[in-house]
Amino acid sequence: DTGVSQNPRHKITKRGQNVTFRCDPISEHNRLYWYRQTLGQGPEFLTYFQNEAQLEKSRLLSDRFSAERPKGSFSTLEIQRTEQGDSAMYLCASSSMDGGYEQFFGPGTRLTVL
Amino acid sequence: GQNIDQPTEMTATEGAIVQINCTYQTSGFNGLFWYQQHAGEAPTFLSYNVLDGLEEKGRFSSFLSRSKGYSYLLLKELQMKDSASYLCAVKSNAGNMLTFGGGTRLMVKP
């Protein structure tokens, strides 16, 4: 396992469609985070999981956004009824709960909503 | 809430030293991180400070003053490949998420 992976790397969709992104964290990491990053800005926290439990979801941008991590391994982020303002880079990160503090980021999924 | 400020852009010369400042206001503090991000790539971890003082790691050093809500990242012997955005991020003690500043875009010129 060489790092955090995300799929797809790029997604182009039409306004109103639903999209789902996948994140596979580093295998021994039990914490997983989703961030959104727009051009020229730093990443913005969305939600995070410890194992399969979603411990913080109040920062999700609207009720159109949801995330799951059903078995405590990979996670999905879904955006329903996409809007042009959802166009951004969606980053996933993972970290270890046991003494580790660094969050390792994946390459991101770039979403373009037409 | 949390507020993090850092300069938007900086320019420096190859071989020189540059200091990127970050100030923060937070309702709870549990560490400050610096990440490097090249265009179109993921952020990569550079340093972590939780206690006051200087942490040195090769050409990169990071300083923290909790009483002043201030940190800086010092890059020595600049190389062209150091051209990137540098992100300051604060971890609160209320959760595990990072709150990022807007990033400082550093351009290293020959």
Side-chain angles (χ1 to χ4, degrees), chain A residues 31 37 45 48 102-103 106, chain B residues 35 37 42 45 96-98:
Chain A
R31 287 180 172 162
Q37 187 175 25
F45 172 80
Y48 98 95
E102 175 186 350
Q103 292 184 19
Chain B
Y35 279 81
Q37 187 175 28
F45 171 80
N96 286 289
M97 73 267 199
L98 296 179

Side-chain angles (χ1 to χ4, degrees), chain B residues 27-98:
Chain B
S27 55
F29 179 81
N30 197 22
L32 187 141
F33 296 75
W34 284 95
Y35 279 81
Q36 180 192 60
Q37 187 175 28
H38 285 98
E41 298 182 10
T44 55
F45 171 80
L46 290 178
S47 69
Y48 170 67
N49 295 70
V50 67
L51 299 176
D52 290 352
L54 187 68
E55 294 281 342
E56 298 188 76
K57 190 186 292 186
R59 294 190 298 115
F60 293 15
S61 303
S62 58
F63 172 84
L64 175 68
S65 169
R66 288 172 297 171
S67 63
K68 295 182 179 178
Y70 169 67
S71 173
Y72 67 72
L73 180 70
L74 194 71
L75 292 76
K76 303 176 185 176
E77 302 169 15
L78 280 172
Q79 302 175 8
M80 298 299 292
K81 67 178 182 179
D82 296 330
S83 294
S85 285
Y86 292 85
L87 302 163
C88 173
V90 171
K91 184 177 178 181
S92 76
N93 54 20
N96 286 289
M97 73 267 199
L98 296 179

Side-chain angles (χ1 to χ4, degrees), chain A:
Chain A
D1 191 331
T2 57
V4 179
S5 62
Q6 293 187 243
N7 288 289
R9 294 292 308 277
H10 303 273
K11 178 70 176 178
I12 300 174
T13 191
K14 293 182 179 179
R15 190 175 52 188
Q17 297 294 305
N18 298 343
V19 293
T20 300
F21 310 140
R22 176 177 169 128
C23 171
D24 287 87
I26 294 172
S27 58
E28 62 268 26
H29 285 181
N30 40 27
R31 287 180 172 162
L32 186 149
Y33 312 80
W34 285 99
Y35 292 84
R36 184 180 81 155
Q37 187 175 25
T38 53
L39 198 62
Q41 300 297 314
E44 176 186 13
F45 172 80
L46 296 177
T47 187
Y48 98 95
F49 294 84
Q50 184 166 298
N51 299 312
E52 65 275 11
Q54 190 173 13
L55 297 186
E56 175 60 63
K57 56 182 179 180
S58 65
R59 304 293 184 96
L60 286 168
L61 300 166
S62 79
D63 59 6
R64 298 184 296 105
F65 287 71
S66 63
E68 294 183 341
R69 194 183 185 197
K71 298 181 180 178
S73 56
F74 74 91
S75 175
T76 57
L77 177 70
E78 181 182 17
I79 308 174
Q80 295 183 330
R81 305 181 303 280
T82 52
E83 302 174 356
Q84 287 186 323
D86 297 333
S87 296
M89 177 74 83
Y90 290 85
L91 293 165
C92 175
S94 70
S95 70
S96 170
M97 196 168 65
D98 302 322
Y101 47 78
E102 175 186 350
Q103 292 184 19
F104 293 82
F105 282 83
T109 295
R110 179 165 295 284
L111 173 66
T112 302
V113 182
L114 302 176

